[in-house]
Amino acid sequence: MAKIPDKIQTWQMVQPTTKNKETGEVTPGKLEKKEIAVPELAPDDVLVEVAGCGVCHTDLGYFYDGVPTVSKPPLTLGHEISGTVVAGDEKWIGKEVIIPAVMPCRKCILCKTGRGNRCLDQKMPGNSLGLYGGFSSHIPVPSIDLCEVKDRAGIPLSHFAVIADAATTPYQAAVRADLKPGDNVVVIGITGGVGQYVGQITKALGAKTVIGIARNKEKLERALKFGTDFCINSTDKDARAISTEFRSYCKEKGLPNTGWKIFEVTGTKTGQEIALTLLGFVGKLIVVGFGLAKTEYAIGRLMAFDADIIGTWGCLPEYYPIVLDMALNGKINMEEFVETRPMSTIAETFAEAHKVPPMKRIVLEPDF
Ligand SMILES: [Zn+2]
Ligand SMILES: [Zn+2]
């Protein structure tokens, strides 16, 4: 039985990277090892001993790129968490769990109408859960949304951190896309942590064709082993050139040039331009990636195409067990996409991942 600690050990973001608007001078962000009190747990709360917490592009955005967190620093980042319940709500004690990256309030109109993934009162560890985040020894969370890992089939518990966010956001995106068996899919940014799961999950849900678009050759080759049928390397190509390549593939394979479901995962202007160029008759563009770029498009084409552009945010906790089952049944692969490191490497790991997106999701394991 894991013991209840007196204190929580944690890696706090004391301050994010800041840039002086006038001088352009950059003050580096600071991560510090701290000890914080274990809070009084409400009746429906639990304390989870963290097994692993994934390093997400979102964390790097908070730390390096001026994306503000809802709870102001100092706070601990990290929202892709797996672990074991050690205190609080009796019926959860001893259970191994995945903590959903976004936890809806369950009370508001959005929650009551099935749109809780975008609840405005939602709590996200490492952003809007006070000072608590996953890069810690323990974290207090509400028990209602926990996803129990009943039998992890010998896979280390820390690896399941990738289910929280990296693998579930794509599932929600597929639901938003109304993905049906036999659909044809394009994933722009198939090589990223979330993008590769969009490829795997849409294929697992019965997509007939998955075409992946990205720049990294090695990762594109890997995508072909995990559900992607055809890849387009977008290096040094504009949207037109990619569209030509896409159409000639469709022609060669006898695929329709209507009804494609296009997932844009990069959040970049280039990615969005490719997506909008590929969007055709009765097509759907699902915006999964976040970015601040302004991309131009003749909206009237949507009318002419009878097409949709929709956004998608996070994932309802209700879908977590479905995605967990997909991972345990081998419908999607986790092991080839996870690398674990000691949590004490957090500063180096952040710097490295910020410089070059890693081959695998890096999950940090507490070593306080
Ligand atoms: Zn994430
Ligand atoms: Zn709500």
Coordinates of all heavy atoms in Angstrom, one line a residue, residues 103-112 115-122, ligand 2:
M103 N -11.1 18.3 -17.1 CA -12.2 17.7 -16.3 C -13.4 18.7 -16.2 O -13.2 19.8 -15.6 CB -11.7 17.4 -14.9 CG -10.6 16.3 -15.0 SD -9.8 15.9 -13.4 CE -8.4 17.1 -13.5
P104 N -14.5 18.4 -16.9 CA -15.6 19.3 -16.9 C -16.3 19.6 -15.6 O -16.1 18.7 -14.7 CB -16.6 18.6 -17.9 CG -15.9 17.4 -18.4 CD -14.7 17.1 -17.5
C105 N -17.0 20.7 -15.4 CA -17.7 21.0 -14.2 C -18.9 20.1 -13.9 O -19.3 19.9 -12.8 CB -18.0 22.5 -14.1 SG -19.6 22.9 -14.9
R106 N -19.5 19.6 -15.0 CA -20.7 18.7 -14.9 C -21.9 19.5 -14.5 O -23.0 18.8 -14.3 CB -20.5 17.6 -13.8 CG -19.2 16.7 -14.0 CD -19.5 15.7 -15.1 NE -18.3 14.9 -15.3 CZ -18.3 14.1 -16.3 NH1 -19.3 13.9 -17.1 NH2 -17.2 13.4 -16.6
K107 N -21.9 20.8 -14.4 CA -23.1 21.5 -13.9 C -23.6 22.5 -15.0 O -24.8 22.8 -15.0 CB -22.7 22.3 -12.7 CG -22.4 21.4 -11.5 CD -22.1 22.3 -10.2 CE -21.6 21.5 -9.1 NZ -20.2 21.7 -8.8
C108 N -22.7 23.0 -15.9 CA -23.1 24.0 -16.7 C -23.9 23.5 -18.0 O -24.0 22.3 -18.2 CB -21.9 24.8 -17.2 SG -20.9 23.9 -18.4
I109 N -24.4 24.5 -18.8 CA -25.2 24.1 -19.9 C -24.4 23.3 -20.9 O -24.9 22.3 -21.5 CB -25.9 25.4 -20.5 CG1 -26.8 25.0 -21.7 CG2 -24.8 26.4 -21.0 CD1 -28.1 24.5 -21.3
L110 N -23.1 23.6 -21.1 CA -22.3 22.8 -22.0 C -22.2 21.4 -21.6 O -22.3 20.5 -22.3 CB -20.9 23.5 -22.2 CG -20.9 24.9 -22.8 CD1 -19.5 25.4 -23.0 CD2 -21.6 24.9 -24.2
C111 N -21.9 21.2 -20.3 CA -21.8 19.9 -19.7 C -23.1 19.1 -19.8 O -23.1 17.9 -20.2 CB -21.4 20.0 -18.2 SG -19.6 20.4 -18.0
K112 N -24.2 19.8 -19.7 CA -25.5 19.1 -19.7 C -26.0 18.8 -21.1 O -26.9 18.1 -21.3 CB -26.5 19.9 -18.9 CG -26.3 19.8 -17.4 CD -27.3 20.6 -16.6 CE -27.1 20.4 -15.2 NZ -27.7 21.4 -14.3
R115 N -21.4 18.8 -24.4 CA -20.2 19.5 -24.9 C -19.3 19.8 -23.7 O -18.5 20.8 -23.8 CB -20.7 20.8 -25.6 CG -21.7 20.6 -26.7 CD -21.1 19.8 -27.9 NE -20.0 20.5 -28.5 CZ -20.1 21.3 -29.6 NH1 -21.3 21.5 -30.1 NH2 -19.0 21.8 -30.2
G116 N -19.3 19.0 -22.7 CA -18.4 19.2 -21.5 C -16.9 19.3 -21.8 O -16.2 19.8 -21.0
N117 N -16.5 18.7 -22.9 CA -15.1 18.8 -23.3 C -14.6 20.3 -23.4 O -13.5 20.7 -23.2 CB -14.7 18.0 -24.5 CG -15.5 18.5 -25.7 OD1 -16.7 18.5 -25.7 ND2 -14.7 18.9 -26.8
R118 N -15.6 21.2 -23.7 CA -15.3 22.6 -23.9 C -16.0 23.4 -22.7 O -16.2 24.6 -22.9 CB -15.7 23.1 -25.3 CG -15.2 24.4 -25.7 CD -13.8 24.8 -25.5 NE -13.4 25.1 -24.1 CZ -12.3 25.7 -23.7 NH1 -11.4 26.1 -24.6 NH2 -12.1 25.9 -22.4
C119 N -16.3 22.7 -21.6 CA -16.9 23.4 -20.4 C -16.0 24.6 -20.1 O -14.7 24.4 -20.0 CB -16.9 22.4 -19.3 SG -17.1 23.2 -17.7
L120 N -16.6 25.7 -19.8 CA -15.8 26.9 -19.5 C -15.3 26.9 -18.1 O -14.4 27.7 -17.7 CB -16.6 28.2 -19.8 CG -17.1 28.3 -21.3 CD1 -17.8 29.6 -21.5 CD2 -15.9 28.2 -22.2
D121 N -15.8 26.0 -17.3 CA -15.4 25.9 -15.9 C -14.5 24.7 -15.6 O -14.4 24.3 -14.5 CB -16.7 25.8 -15.0 CG -16.8 27.0 -14.1 OD1 -15.8 27.7 -14.0 OD2 -18.0 27.2 -13.6
Q122 N -14.1 24.1 -16.7 CA -13.3 22.9 -16.6 C -12.0 23.1 -15.9 O -11.4 24.2 -15.9 CB -13.0 22.3 -18.0 CG -12.2 23.1 -18.9 CD -12.1 22.6 -20.3 OE1 -11.1 22.9 -21.0 NE2 -13.0 21.8 -20.7
Ligands
ZN2 ZN -19.4 22.6 -17.3

